[in-house]
Amino acid sequence: MVAQVVDGKTFAAKVRAQVSDQVLKLKEENGIIPGLAVVLVGEDPASQVYVRSKGKMTVEVGMNSYEHKLDVDTSEEDLLALIDQLNTNPAVHGILVQLPLPRHLNEDLVINSIDPAKDVDGFHISNVGLLVTGQKSMVPCTPLGCLMMLRDHHGSLSGMDAVVIGRSNIVGKPMAQLLLGDSCTVTIAHSRTKDLPNVVRRADIVIAAVGRPEMVPGDWIKEGATVIDVGINRIERDGKNKLVGDVDYASAADRAGAITPVPGGVGPMTIACLLANTLTACCRAIGLPEPEGLTA
Ligand code: NAD
């Protein structure tokens, strides 16, 4: 079997176009422009790139983008004071604090100081609790993007066997909760899982979120399974820098029914879902119905 390629780039462009249409409608009918505030502490090069592209895409869909760049030695008190201001600013509907934070700042404390209704990354403890209990929440962007692609490909996921490899708070755990919410039978595998190959072999849906280049070979994939590769790994091959996922794409594509490439799979969906979450937060804040198809 040769897998269908799940094109995240095209899908993400479609999501952004939907967001953009809704933003225009909000402007015309309600005089409201959704606003996203992004806070970056320090000068981590990868974080700077992410923040720049988030800002650019926020403006492209017609939203307001507020960037707050703070010195690497910013105190916790100053950072919390800024978050407090953003929490009470009615022009700001979404707040994202770019992670990782410098080591002297307590990440949990900072994230939990964001108003949960504006927590567009979905990392606040209240949003985690709401997701686990099946209530309306802000859902972490990367897992939300994976869910959207899976629903688009399969329609219903009910009864499917899903294996999530990785148990991080930002990808693995929320991904598992979303799949459970869509009535999959979910297994979470991790670094201590015994016999990972055979755990993966029984999955109709494989989500790989580990951060180890090409660790899942094709012979772990059940014939016809859907493979969502969240991993982003930089490697050097034939003297060139290359991005690869956690799945060995070539051998997995021979067995899977559908597979996301790296780059061009899950990656572009993450920012698209951040914009979708900001729109959702704005609609909720002003008491309008949530945009259809853009939430979990
Ligand atoms: P993490 O390091 O926080 O978690 C990795 C998980 O993998 C851990 O739970 C660990 O138990 C598990 N693991 C480690 N070694 C393993 C092994 N040998 N077998 C099975 N499980 C193992 O990473 P993360 O933040 O969840 O990110 C995972 C990957 O996804 C990274 O490559 C990251 O860059 C990528 N990522 C991509 C996006 C995106 O937008 N596409 C967003 C977030 C993360």
Side-chain angles (χ1 to χ4, degrees):
M1 171 174 268
V2 175
Q4 180 184 336
V5 180
V6 180
D7 178 355
K9 223 169 144 183
T10 304
F11 198 100
K14 214 169 86 184
V15 171
R16 290 197 306 274
Q18 260 175 285
V19 171
S20 180
D21 287 350
Q22 294 291 323
V23 168
L24 189 66
K25 216 167 133 208
L26 269 178
K27 248 186 243 181
E28 287 176 353
E29 294 177 9
N30 306 82
I32 299 259
I33 301 178
L36 172 63
V38 177
V39 181
L40 173 65
V41 187
E43 285 170 7
D44 176 65
S47 295
Q48 283 180 325
V49 173
Y50 291 140
V51 166
R52 211 173 307 131
S53 67
K54 282 169 188 169
K56 186 171 158 262
M57 291 199 180
T58 304
V59 172
E60 272 173 18
V61 295
M63 296 184 185
N64 287 327
S65 166
Y66 308 100
E67 277 182 27
H68 297 268
K69 294 187 175 159
L70 308 181
D71 280 350
V72 68
D73 53 6
T74 298
S75 69
E76 204 159 82
E77 198 188 350
D78 285 350
L79 178 56
L80 294 177
L82 171 63
I83 292 174
D84 210 34
Q85 265 178 40
L86 298 172
N87 281 342
T88 53
N89 182 345
V92 172
H93 303 94
I95 303 170
L96 180 151
V97 177
Q98 184 65 42
L99 301 178
L101 287 171
R103 293 171 69 96
H104 68 284
L105 299 168
N106 179 338
E107 230 163 67
D108 288 337
L109 182 77
V110 170
I111 296 303
N112 290 325
S113 72
I114 298 172
D115 176 351
K118 296 189 178 187
D119 167 39
V120 281
D121 249 344
F123 297 159
H124 190 291
I125 192 83
S126 299
N127 280 317
V128 176
L130 290 168
L131 176 62
V132 172
T133 51
Q135 301 178 68
K136 244 181 212 182
S137 63
M138 278 289 152
V139 176
C141 305
T142 301
L144 178 58
C146 296
L147 183 75
M148 281 183 186
M149 290 195 287
L150 284 168
R151 283 180 177 167
D152 184 66
H153 185 74
H154 286 286
S156 168
L157 308 181
S158 180
M160 295 178 89
D161 274 316
V163 171
V164 180
I165 319 173
R167 56 174 160 184
S168 72
N169 289 337
I170 62 168
V171 189
K173 284 182 198 156
M175 187 72 245
Q177 289 300 336
L178 288 171
L179 292 165
L180 197 57
D182 270 28
S183 301
C184 290
T185 303
V186 183
T187 303
I188 306 178
H190 46 78
S191 53
R192 303 292 174 90
T193 296
K194 286 185 189 150
D195 198 7
L196 185 60
N198 277 320
V199 171
V200 176
R201 273 185 194 117
R202 58 169 195 254
D204 304 311
I205 294 171
V206 180
I207 312 273
V210 179
R212 292 171 72 116
E214 299 170 333
M215 72 163 272
V216 178
D219 73 354
W220 292 12
I221 303 298
K222 177 161 117 180
E223 195 73 30
T226 299
V227 178
I228 305 286
D229 191 352
V230 181
I232 302 177
N233 308 290
R234 272 163 233 283
I235 60 161
E236 208 188 291
R237 184 169 289 156
D238 306 327
K240 285 185 192 151
N241 289 325
K242 220 182 151 217
L243 274 192
V244 298
D246 291 343
V247 176
D248 176 39
Y249 184 85
S251 61
D254 274 347
R255 293 174 64 94
I259 186 166
T260 59
V262 177
V266 176
M269 286 300 288
T270 297
I271 297 188
C273 288
L274 171 68
L275 303 173
N277 276 352
T278 305
L279 174 66
T280 300
C282 178
C283 291
R284 286 180 187 167
I286 59 175
L288 287 177
E290 289 170 12
E292 253 173 64
L294 296 177
T295 54

